[in-house]
Amino acid sequence: MENEHEQSHFAMNAGDGPLSYLQNSSYQGGTLDVARLAIEEEIETKLEFSSEQTSICIADFGCSTGNNSFPAMHTIIEAIKRKHEFSYLKTLEFYVFFNDVAANDFNTLFRSLPPSRSYGVAAVPGDFHRRLLPPSSLHFAYASWSLHWLTEAPEAAADSGTPAWNGGEIVYTRERKEVCDAYLDQFGKDVVSFLKSRVVEMVDGGLIALLLPGAPAAWDPEKEYTMVSLVEPLRSSLVDMAMQGRVSEAKIDSFNIPYYFPTLRQLMEIIERNPSFTVEKIETINATGNYTFPSIHARIAFFRAAHEGMLAHHFGGEIIDDLFDQYEKKLGASPILKNVENDKTLVILAILKKNIRP
Ligand SMILES: C[S@@+](CC[C@H](N)C(=O)[O-])C[C@H]1O[C@@H](n2cnc3c(N)ncnc32)[C@H](O)[C@@H]1O
């Protein structure tokens, strides 16, 4: 096994308080409601495993504090149970491996496990781009709102000597093609690593369900926005703080957020680089699912729960409250961004099957 890469700054906000991921991730959780039927159908028609099987293992890669994971694990397990209701496999035992980075708040997850669950549990801390589980042990892999996180922002983006230098910006923007290409390249390498590890861990005939935020191939920036556009008011707030002498410009130049929102075509092309999997289904679904933000404040808390850790890690925790106050004002003042009707973010649902070797 390769050395563990500590990604402490990627962890979502811990605990169950007002700024926690647990309290501010209904948006992400809402997409499962839209994807549930397709996941159940794919389990019913495509999942295969040996008739010798007495236990089924499921892993959630990037589970965070578990609040969105538990309904997903319930959905998957109940669908497998229904499929085998009348077969000799009906006494199957279920085990769920909850994976996230080592700094994730697994305590909150274990404290809030559903008391009536019908499965055994274990935490598997570590980078999901690497091997984490024993060979041929996994029947179902699930990753929701996690695979768009990169192992790291492209190195070139922080290197002023390269054409992909992203000085002054803090994430890829469509105006800088070289930077976009460098992010896409990193995303491709990371998804390839994720799948390479799962090929070893999964049983033949097992399924992977991926739910990740993506972008349409085109949208009108004069009227619309996607998830990555929400970074602009953050950049602008940091620049204001640099003018007040509260952060250095060099710190902004060396900061690039490590995520990428692919188009469906980009993701498809990357998945197809791994011939051990067949794409059973790939489609876009409504990004908000069954959830709409009740206020701008709720949107800020959603954004903060996912970004605070890495911002505090890079710029220092003392600026965070003021930074998000400023961010809220800027988002509220943007005629395009303040209206969620303009959000063209989409979520990609991809279901892959590990090919059965002859
Ligand atoms: C936005 S949260 C999604 C949580 C949950 N799956 C959901 O649907 O709400 C993304 C999670 O992925 C985790 N993550 C990101 N990169 C990771 C990696 N390389 N290895 C393991 N977990 C990772 C983060 O720590 C975070 O908890």
Side-chain angles (χ1 to χ4, degrees):
M1 203 152 309
E2 294 166 79
N3 286 338
E4 196 51 65
H5 174 196
E6 183 57 40
Q7 291 173 307
S8 56
H9 49 296
F10 283 4
M12 304 290 107
N13 280 1
D16 58 4
L19 295 174
S20 62
Y21 185 79
L22 192 152
Q23 295 271 2
N24 294 290
S25 52
S26 312
Y27 179 87
Q28 293 91 326
T31 53
L32 173 67
D33 297 336
V34 185
R36 181 173 281 115
L37 197 59
I39 294 173
E40 289 172 342
E41 276 171 10
E42 293 301 310
I43 289 174
E44 171 64 33
T45 55
K46 309 283 170 51
L47 180 65
E48 292 181 65
F49 48 80
S50 152
S51 56
E52 313 283 293
Q53 210 61 52
T54 54
S55 57
I56 295 292
C57 295
I58 301 161
D60 184 3
F61 293 98
C63 60
S64 189
T65 36
N67 48 302
N68 289 336
S69 184
F70 304 143
M73 296 307 105
H74 179 79
T75 295
I76 294 162
I77 290 170
E78 291 306 310
I80 299 174
K81 280 187 188 164
R82 276 197 298 281
K83 180 172 169 140
H84 294 288
E85 204 171 3
F86 301 110
S87 83
Y88 55 93
L89 288 170
K90 67 183 175 196
T91 52
L92 285 173
E93 290 183 358
F94 290 90
Y95 294 91
V96 173
F97 299 105
F98 291 103
N99 158 259
D100 209 293
V101 293
N104 181 56
D105 181 6
F106 286 104
N107 285 337
T108 292
L109 183 148
F110 284 115
R111 270 200 297 267
S112 47
L113 278 169
S116 59
R117 71 189 182 280
S118 60
Y119 51 90
V121 297
V124 181
D127 178 1
F128 56 48
H129 300 100
R130 297 163 188 241
R131 280 286 316 288
L132 293 167
L133 294 165
S136 302
S137 62
L138 191 58
H139 301 88
F140 200 103
Y142 181 77
S144 153
W145 287 81
S146 52
L147 208 57
H148 60 297
W149 287 97
L150 307 176
T151 46
E152 57 185 356
E155 271 177 36
D159 180 349
S160 61
T162 71
W165 185 50
N166 202 24
E169 295 289 348
I170 59 170
V171 78
Y172 63 96
T173 53
R174 53 209 261 151
E175 291 75 29
R176 296 188 180 178
K177 183 175 180 318
E178 287 87 354
V179 179
C180 290
D181 290 348
Y183 265 82
L184 174 58
D185 187 55
Q186 185 66 49
F187 176 73
K189 284 184 186 143
D190 287 344
V191 173
V192 165
S193 304
F194 175 89
L195 293 178
K196 200 171 146 203
S197 301
R198 302 301 83 80
V199 167
V200 182
E201 295 168 354
M202 293 195 66
V203 301
D204 290 359
L207 296 181
I208 301 185
L210 305 173
L211 267 176
L212 70 159
W219 78 94
D220 179 357
E222 300 296 319
K223 296 197 206 110
E224 299 163 339
Y225 69 90
T226 66
M227 192 67 80
V228 75
S229 325
L230 296 177
V231 174
E232 170 48 28
L234 183 71
R235 182 204 65 81
S236 169
S237 305
L238 283 166
V239 169
D240 288 355
M241 289 187 127
M243 288 195 293
Q244 295 156 10
R246 299 191 59 194
V247 298
S248 75
E249 278 180 29
K251 274 265 173 202
I252 299 177
D253 282 345
S254 61
F255 181 66
N256 286 295
I257 301 182
Y259 51 48
Y260 184 78
F261 304 102
T263 64
L264 188 142
R265 187 179 285 272
Q266 287 169 343
L267 181 64
M268 179 83 179
E269 188 275 318
I270 293 164
I271 292 171
E272 283 175 348
R273 291 180 204 166
N274 193 317
S276 300
F277 290 104
T278 301
V279 179
E280 299 291 348
K281 182 181 269 295
I282 186 161
E283 63 187 19
T284 59
I285 62 174
N286 175 3
T288 55
N290 293 339
Y291 181 83
T292 44
F293 289 105
S295 64
I296 288 214
H297 199 67
R299 287 177 70 197
I300 305 304
F302 146 84
F303 189 84
R304 178 168 176 168
H307 292 77
E308 177 166 351
M310 83 181 112
L311 287 164
H313 177 82
H314 190 85
F315 294 103
E318 61 287 354
I319 68 155
I320 296 295
D321 285 339
D322 290 349
L323 179 63
F324 280 100
D325 283 348
Q326 185 67 0
Y327 178 78
E328 183 162 351
K329 283 187 200 121
K330 288 193 187 264
L331 191 96
S334 160
I336 301 172
L337 297 181
K338 77 174 178 193
N339 184 355
V340 285
E341 300 290 314
N342 300 329
D343 186 0
K344 295 298 154 206
T345 304
L346 43 85
V347 169
I348 305 173
L349 168 67
I351 300 190
L352 324 182
K353 179 170 179 172
K354 171 142 180 242
N355 296 332
I356 297 179
R357 281 163 293 189

